[in-house]
Amino acid sequence: MSASITVNEIDWSPILKQLQCVGEQGLPTYPGDLKTALIHHARLSGHPKAEIAYQLANDIAHLTTHCDPEIVYWFSRLLSLIETP
């Protein structure tokens, strides 16, 4: 993946490039703690609403494929609702 994927002025391609298919599972997964990676990448560590945004992204993704790329997508979209300093 060579193109950048920017939402809310954040390039999400570094996270997406780390997704990989493992075993017979057809959907790519993040090889670590996705929640921590997303919150850190968005520079929201310690923000009181960062974990809530992640959980909401996870809940929305659960309605369809519930895969890590979809969680990244929804998290990136929900960030516009969080006020940052």
Side-chain angles (χ1 to χ4, degrees):
M1 177 183 303
S2 60
S4 68
I5 296 140
T6 304
V7 179
N8 297 322
E9 299 180 11
I10 299 172
D11 180 11
W12 295 98
S13 58
I15 298 285
L16 294 171
K17 286 178 182 177
Q18 294 182 52
L19 298 175
Q20 51 192 263
C21 291
V22 178
E24 293 184 23
Q25 181 182 5
L27 300 172
T29 59
Y30 186 80
D33 184 350
L34 181 59
K35 177 175 78 171
T36 301
L38 290 173
I39 290 171
H40 178 73
H41 187 74
R43 296 185 178 114
L44 291 174
S45 297
H47 192 287
K49 294 188 179 179
E51 289 199 30
I52 295 167
Y54 175 81
Q55 188 57 51
L56 185 55
N58 193 27
D59 292 347
I60 293 169
H62 191 72
L63 297 172
T64 56
T65 62
H66 195 241
C67 65
D68 288 352
E70 188 175 3
I71 294 169
V72 172
Y73 171 79
W74 285 113
F75 184 80
S76 73
R77 304 305 284 182
L78 290 167
L79 289 185
S80 64
L81 301 175
I82 294 178
E83 291 182 26
T84 56

